[in-house]
Amino acid sequence: MSDTHVPLRGEDEPEQLREQFRQLLRYRWLICGGVGAGLLAGAWLGITGAESYAATTDIVLRAPTSDPFAPTLSSDKTINMGSERQTALSRKVAEGAAKQLGIGADGIDRLQHGLQVTNPPQTLVLHFTYTATRPQEAARRANALTQSYIDLRKQQWESVRGSMLKSLQDQLDPVAKQNDELSRRIKQLPNGSAADAAYAVQANLLNRITDLRNKITSLKALDMTPGNVIRNATVPTSSDGPGLPLSLGLGGLVGIGLGLLGAWVRLVFDPAPRSAGDVARAVRGPVLGALPRGSGGALVVGRTDSRAAEEYRSIAFRLAYDDRFADRRRLLVVAPRGSMESSVAVAVNLAASFAETGKDVTLVEADLRTPSLAERLDVSAASRPRWSRAGEDADGEWPGRGQLVADAGESGAFGLVPGERVRNVARALTSARTTRLIAEADDPDATVVVVAPPVLAYADALALVDRVDGVLIVCDPRTVHRADLVRIRELIVGAGGTVLGAVTHTPSRRAAAGASRRGNRRHGPRGAPQRPVAAGPRTPPVDHPEDDGSTTIALRTVRSGDR
């Protein structure tokens, strides 16, 4: 038998992608929420962008120079475009534009808010973009801000040049005054060494004066224009926004991406099994079947020709051809935790499926805490056949001497050993008579199906795993955790049992609510076990004298009209 209900697809990448996408669709509410948020954001962007207009201007910056055609001039070395962009966005520029536009001091912040300045890479161009609710206002403000930036930069350059001219002039005046005084002294000196020394000093002063005057002349000759406007702002003819249809489309795409991302994150951190392969890997056994929604809690095999009945028959056939089960056919059906509704339904329908193939089936209800299977099935009293008799033990112990026969409709009937409330559950499950009840099903046509309480809630099932040929785990992948399934397998293997596989199911909302109400009535407000409601009087078992094995038990179908 294979290790999983579906073939392993470790090397089939397209199939893995399809499987992951199907798993993501389990969280449709996250995906729909992301799409809804994206559409709302797109609608808001489309509505707000429909009333915005953008006007643009471009300025090519240049450094002050006396010869713009000099081959050694490199403007990109003298101009820092990042600093120029910050200057264009500064409040000083906005204040100058506000004066031109006649805006008061309280409107400067709003004027700055609509301005955006960018610098295309590898260029000396500043790109001014102004966004406003009216096209004429956008163009007028863009031009005003551009002109204010040019005026500010020109004023700054001229201020720097003025301070440098003042500094040079302050250096020139003392030297010129010293040169004049030296000239008067030379006129009074006679020819000789003293006059020669004075002429040498005067020559140095004249060189210094000439150098300072050349620098002053160069600074006065500089062109202080900070840049040239290569494109003036014009009145925009269309809105700056992408439009409502495009905004909705973009919002929808972004929303799908966000929804898928949220679903993927939820899937990664989801402790529940994501697929049948996850369940198979957790229990290290095949997933023998996946029951349709709402198929638990009723005997359907032999009563209806539904999809659930065929699924139960398929599970029974897969078990029948499993070498670990086919020799002696002793099966234990358990659930991880919670209610026993699903495990009881699987056990009952598997018993009916085995009975349909002509086997002598005995269903043992090993729930000795809150037994209820005898009240839920259509049963009648009968004696136990020779192969299943547990011996002549004292009355009042479980399993008792009597056995019930459950009607499975067209599938026939199967024996039922109902559970009974006992004082010591562990002693009853490990007693010799329980061992003989299970062990005496060695007839070639005999099959024993045992249903026990959830493994993680009680240790009852662990007391039986060493006396059966395999354990079948019934779980709902949406409510059980992978760690729970791994823990169940470890407990079963540690107790000497074998996990034959798993059966997955998805209960309907109505069935889940009903199970919750039944659990509340059964366990009380605080989960404490209560005495079950007394059912009607059972038909006492009919004792037949010991025979030689030649007698047989005839099973018949009891219809509602006959009752």
Side-chain angles (χ1 to χ4, degrees):
M1 182 176 290
S2 61
D3 291 337
T4 180
H5 186 261
V6 292
L8 295 176
R9 299 184 289 269
E11 299 179 357
D12 190 359
E13 294 183 0
E15 187 63 28
Q16 284 183 344
L17 292 176
R18 287 191 290 270
E19 179 64 23
Q20 290 180 359
F21 185 75
R22 285 193 293 267
Q23 293 171 9
L24 288 177
L25 292 180
R26 295 169 53 187
Y27 309 104
R28 296 182 181 89
W29 60 275
L30 275 175
I31 299 176
C32 293
V35 173
L39 291 176
L40 289 176
W44 177 83
L45 179 62
I47 294 173
T48 57
E51 298 180 355
S52 63
Y53 297 87
T56 59
T57 60
D58 289 333
I59 303 176
V60 177
L61 303 183
R62 56 187 295 271
T65 179
S66 59
D67 185 6
F69 303 103
T72 58
L73 182 64
S74 179
S75 298
D76 57 344
K77 303 297 183 182
T78 59
I79 299 178
N80 189 321
M81 296 304 298
S83 299
E84 297 296 331
R85 180 177 173 274
Q86 294 300 321
T87 302
L89 292 170
S90 66
R91 186 176 181 85
K92 200 72 174 178
V93 173
E95 289 176 354
K99 291 180 181 179
Q100 299 178 26
L101 297 171
I103 299 176
D106 55 344
I108 295 178
D109 293 335
R110 293 193 299 271
L111 183 63
Q112 278 186 288
H113 181 72
L115 177 63
Q116 182 181 7
V117 181
T118 57
N119 169 230
Q122 306 299 325
T123 65
L124 296 176
V125 176
L126 283 182
H127 186 75
F128 286 72
T129 303
Y130 194 87
T131 304
T133 57
R134 292 182 298 174
Q136 295 83 0
E137 191 70 17
R140 192 164 68 93
R141 293 191 176 189
N143 288 326
L145 287 166
T146 303
Q147 188 61 42
S148 176
Y149 167 75
I150 293 176
D151 295 342
L152 177 63
R153 292 302 290 149
K154 187 175 181 179
Q155 179 183 356
Q156 290 174 345
W157 283 119
E158 288 179 349
S159 176
V160 172
R161 182 177 65 172
S163 61
M164 292 180 66
L165 288 173
K166 184 178 181 302
S167 176
L168 291 173
Q169 191 65 42
D170 291 341
Q171 298 178 42
L172 178 60
D173 291 342
V175 176
K177 184 178 180 181
Q178 185 180 359
N179 180 58
D180 293 341
E181 292 178 355
L182 186 58
S183 297
R184 287 193 299 267
R185 288 175 54 192
I186 290 175
K187 290 179 182 180
Q188 298 175 1
L189 290 175
N191 294 332
S193 59
D196 293 340
Y199 280 121
V201 173
Q202 187 180 31
N204 291 332
L205 292 176
L206 291 174
N207 289 334
R208 177 62 176 166
I209 291 171
T210 303
D211 182 51
L212 291 173
R213 286 177 176 174
N214 288 337
K215 289 182 178 179
I216 291 173
T217 303
S218 298
L219 285 175
K220 290 181 178 180
L222 288 178
D223 184 3
M224 305 307 293
T225 303
N228 299 318
V229 179
I230 60 175
R231 182 172 67 172
N232 289 317
T234 58
V235 178
T237 59
S238 60
S239 63
D240 184 54
L244 185 59
L246 182 58
S247 298
L248 289 176
L250 293 176
L253 291 177
V254 174
I256 290 175
L258 291 177
L260 290 176
L261 178 61
W264 179 79
V265 172
R266 179 68 177 85
L267 182 64
V268 169
F269 292 99
D270 188 3
R274 296 188 294 265
S275 62
D278 284 353
V279 176
R281 283 187 289 271
V283 302
R284 294 188 182 179
V287 176
L288 300 177
L291 301 179
R293 181 182 294 274
S295 59
L299 177 60
V300 295
V301 176
R303 301 284 179 86
T304 61
D305 293 332
S306 61
R307 176 187 169 190
E310 294 302 320
E311 189 68 24
Y312 283 121
R313 293 186 180 100
S314 175
I315 297 171
F317 277 112
R318 293 199 68 180
L319 287 172
Y321 288 103
D322 191 338
D323 295 337
R324 297 170 295 180
F325 174 77
D327 293 338
R328 295 187 299 175
R329 294 172 301 282
R330 300 169 181 172
L331 179 66
L332 174 63
V333 182
V334 295
R337 63 171 77 248
S339 173
M340 287 184 59
E341 296 291 333
S342 58
S343 58
V344 168
V346 172
V348 170
N349 284 279
L350 286 181
S353 299
F354 288 127
E356 199 172 42
T357 61
K359 302 293 183 180
D360 293 331
V361 183
T362 299
L363 175 61
V364 180
E365 184 186 14
D367 182 10
L368 308 183
R369 303 175 189 274
T370 55
S372 61
L373 195 54
E375 287 80 10
R376 297 166 59 183
L377 296 178
D378 184 8
V379 297
S380 60
S383 66
R384 198 176 294 172
R386 178 190 297 274
W387 62 264
S388 64
R389 290 184 179 177
E392 299 299 332
D393 296 288
D395 294 334
E397 298 183 8
W398 186 89
R401 296 175 56 189
Q403 176 180 336
L404 303 178
V405 176
D407 179 21
E410 296 181 358
S411 297
F414 56 87
L416 172 64
V417 179
E420 298 178 2
R421 292 178 60 86
V422 298
R423 297 180 60 182
N424 194 320
V425 176
R427 180 178 299 174
L429 294 176
T430 56
S431 63
R433 63 193 308 164
T434 303
T435 303
R436 289 196 302 269
L437 173 65
I438 300 175
E440 289 180 0
D442 290 334
D443 189 276
D445 292 331
T447 300
V448 174
V449 180
V450 184
V451 57
V455 180
L456 299 180
Y458 302 101
D460 300 357
L462 300 180
L464 301 169
V465 294
D466 60 337
R467 282 168 283 177
V468 297
D469 298 304
V471 180
L472 183 64
I473 301 174
V474 182
C475 64
D476 180 4
R478 302 183 308 169
T479 59
V480 72
H481 293 178
R482 290 189 295 271
D484 293 342
L485 295 177
V486 173
R487 178 62 177 163
I488 291 171
R489 177 183 57 79
E490 293 175 349
L491 291 174
I492 292 173
V493 173
T498 302
V499 178
L500 297 179
V503 174
T504 62
H505 69 95
T506 304
S508 62
R509 295 184 177 90
R510 181 179 301 177
S516 177
R517 289 193 297 269
R518 285 192 295 271
N520 293 336
R521 290 196 301 268
R522 180 175 300 176
H523 297 291
R526 295 187 179 180
Q530 297 180 349
R531 298 183 61 85
V533 179
R538 295 184 185 177
T539 304
V542 180
D543 292 337
H544 292 266
E546 190 74 22
D547 53 34
D548 58 357
S550 60
T551 59
T552 59
I553 299 175
L555 303 180
R556 67 185 182 87
T557 302
V558 180
R559 298 178 175 84
S560 59
D562 299 335
R563 297 197 299 272

